[in-house]
Amino acid sequence: MMPLTSTALKGEASREVQEILAKAAEGNLEEKDALRLMKAEGIDDLFALFNTAHEIRKRQFGDKVFAYGFVYFSTYCRNNCSFCLYRRANRCAPRYRKKADEIMEIAEMLKKSGVHLIDLTSGEDPQIHSEKGYRRLLSYVERLKKELDMPLMVSPGVLPKTVLRELGRKGLDWYALYQETHNRLLFSKLRCRQDYDERMKAKTYAREEGMLIEEGILIGVGESREDVVDSVYQMKKMKAHQVRAMGFIPQRGTPMESRPSPPILEEMKAISLMRLVHPDRLIPASYDIDGLKGLGLRLMAGANVVTSLIPPRFHLRGVAQAELDVESSLRTLSGVKPYLQKLGLEVASLKSYRKWIEEEKARLPGK
Ligand code: SF4
């Protein structure tokens, strides 16, 4: 595979796209121009877009990427999101809950493998979303911070303000909560019977309590390109530290199981747009969608974090692709490293990741 160099990606884009990209490279991309880029179709325009995003990523982060380990510790959920394998009503969903010691063991293994962050994720498990459950979640965070001293993210769904405050006090670094879309009508179809504003507010509270926040959207779920552009700028307004676009994968037993996945180019365009609008933010390239080959394309579009790495042996699940490469060990940092090298990329040091998050935390309100 060819390394990601500007020569490899160079094309003869239309004059209009070249002018827009020149403005974008200087940090001046207006929404109407962003929409023009989302609508780009020709191969030369697309290459120019990906190339510009790639160059901006390189200017900000060099050839270094960060890597996140993933612990999906409960696949139970009280919600019924129409796109999700783990929705409450889905009888086809594999269900499990990991105990505290097992979570620690998995996290320790991930730390040893060299990841920069442990991402502790679950569905909105009713056993976590209760007084007792919140205390358990807090105890996991406390134990992980104390025993592993690693950057830590949690994504267990919408949490009350009081719990977010406690998590902030325990030194939690990241709170991830994806809106999926910022189009309220589409939100109501995707996140059925969930409160749009409550979800947005939880992210604001998390920032106020000293945590970095991750926002994300789904691509290929009925959104328009205007919606994608709007989301990219909403993420800017909410000052998200990590911004994500993920292509939809149909899941068995869900109302959207017959909907096809979108072309990967749509996701790549959204990632590039995010890089243009959020030059110095973290942008994940998920392993969870279509494995190594998809990872490379997403990195080529401007992403700089490899996410969803999962250790084998523990029968853990992914979010979008429950089993993809998990037990074959390909989905580990050592499985991914040779591939990154072929792309001309390197795994950053833990020290540099810690520095990035500490500098961002120091800029949060009240610091
Ligand atoms: S997306 Fe999250 S909240 Fe929605 S059903 Fe799936 S696990 Fe539950």
Side-chain angles (χ1 to χ4, degrees), residues 293-340:
K293 76 172 173 352
L295 192 65
L297 291 171
R298 290 171 179 90
L299 291 166
M300 189 175 111
N304 70 325
V305 183
V306 177
T307 62
S308 311
L309 296 173
I310 300 179
R313 206 165 57 71
F314 291 95
H315 306 292
L316 286 167
R317 301 287 167 156
V319 172
Q321 298 260 54
E323 292 169 12
L324 181 72
D325 292 343
V326 176
E327 296 304 319
S328 68
S329 299
L330 270 178
R331 203 158 156 171
T332 57
L333 192 54
S334 56
V336 166
K337 264 184 191 167
Y339 186 76
L340 292 176

Side-chain angles (χ1 to χ4, degrees), residues 72 77 79 81 83-84 86-87 123-124 191:
Y72 205 151
C77 188
N79 288 334
C81 299
F83 56 89
C84 178
Y86 304 109
R87 69 197 306 267
E124 286 199 8
R191 291 199 159 273

Side-chain angles (χ1 to χ4, degrees), residues 3 10 18 63 83 97 114 119 126 140 151 161 189 240 247 292:
K10 207 172 254 173
Q18 282 187 31
D63 292 325
F83 56 89
R97 287 187 183 98
D119 176 4
Y140 295 161
K161 202 172 177 179
K189 292 179 186 163
L292 278 177

Side-chain angles (χ1 to χ4, degrees), residues 63-83:
D63 292 325
K64 302 281 196 285
V65 293
F66 300 125
Y68 291 180
F70 188 61
V71 187
Y72 205 151
F73 69 97
S74 168
T75 59
Y76 286 87
C77 188
R78 64 185 177 184
N79 288 334
N80 257 325
C81 299
S82 51
F83 56 89

Side-chain angles (χ1 to χ4, degrees), residues 72-275:
Y72 205 151
F73 69 97
S74 168
T75 59
Y76 286 87
C77 188
R78 64 185 177 184
N79 288 334
N80 257 325
C81 299
S82 51
F83 56 89
C84 178
L85 176 65
Y86 304 109
R87 69 197 306 267
R88 188 184 68 227
N90 191 1
R91 297 214 170 141
C92 305
R95 306 282 180 193
Y96 64 78
R97 287 187 183 98
K98 295 288 177 194
K99 297 218 160 46
D101 285 344
E102 205 171 358
I103 294 172
M104 288 307 296
E105 194 187 344
I106 299 163
E108 229 171 294
M109 182 177 258
L110 284 166
K111 180 181 179 178
K112 276 191 201 134
S113 78
V115 299
H116 301 105
L117 169 135
I118 308 291
D119 176 4
L120 201 58
T121 295
S122 68
E124 286 199 8
D125 184 344
Q127 288 196 12
I128 293 164
H129 290 261
S130 64
E131 276 314 308
K132 207 169 148 198
Y134 292 139
R135 280 202 297 280
R136 195 171 336 124
L137 177 67
L138 286 162
S139 75
Y140 295 161
V141 168
E142 188 167 22
R143 207 171 147 192
L144 283 163
K145 285 307 276 181
K146 207 160 135 198
E147 292 179 27
L148 293 190
D149 185 27
M150 280 282 287
L152 185 63
M153 170 186 273
V154 301
S155 1
V158 178
L159 294 171
K161 202 172 177 179
T162 46
V163 178
L164 288 167
R165 177 162 299 151
E166 283 304 311
L167 286 168
R169 285 185 185 148
K170 297 211 180 297
L172 179 67
D173 304 286
W174 287 94
Y175 178 56
L177 191 68
Y178 307 153
Q179 209 72 11
E180 319 301 352
T181 176
H182 298 83
N183 172 330
R184 284 173 183 265
L185 181 62
L186 183 58
F187 178 92
S188 68
K189 292 179 186 163
L190 296 172
R191 291 199 159 273
C192 320
R193 297 207 177 89
Q194 293 171 54
D195 187 328
Y196 181 99
D197 295 306
E198 185 192 30
R199 204 167 177 86
M200 289 296 275
K201 273 186 209 148
K203 287 171 263 208
T204 309
Y205 295 147
R207 277 187 85 242
E208 289 169 2
E209 298 301 338
M211 282 163 265
L212 307 181
I213 52 169
E214 181 183 12
E215 174 64 301
I217 54 169
L218 271 175
I219 302 292
V221 286
E223 78 287 355
S224 66
R225 284 166 172 159
E226 283 81 356
D227 289 335
V228 174
V229 171
D230 178 51
S231 283
V232 172
Y233 283 88
Q234 291 270 355
M235 291 172 180
K236 186 95 181 165
K237 225 183 278 170
M238 65 196 283
K239 300 194 172 98
H241 302 88
Q242 183 161 294
V243 292
R244 173 187 287 244
M246 263 179 95
F248 165 73
I249 302 271
Q251 305 290 349
R252 200 156 63 92
T254 66
M256 291 172 73
E257 71 178 336
S258 342
R259 190 183 181 94
S261 289
I264 191 165
L265 278 176
E266 285 304 304
E267 192 184 329
M268 289 173 73
K269 281 194 271 183
I271 289 175
S272 289
L273 201 56
M274 285 179 173
R275 177 56 68 209

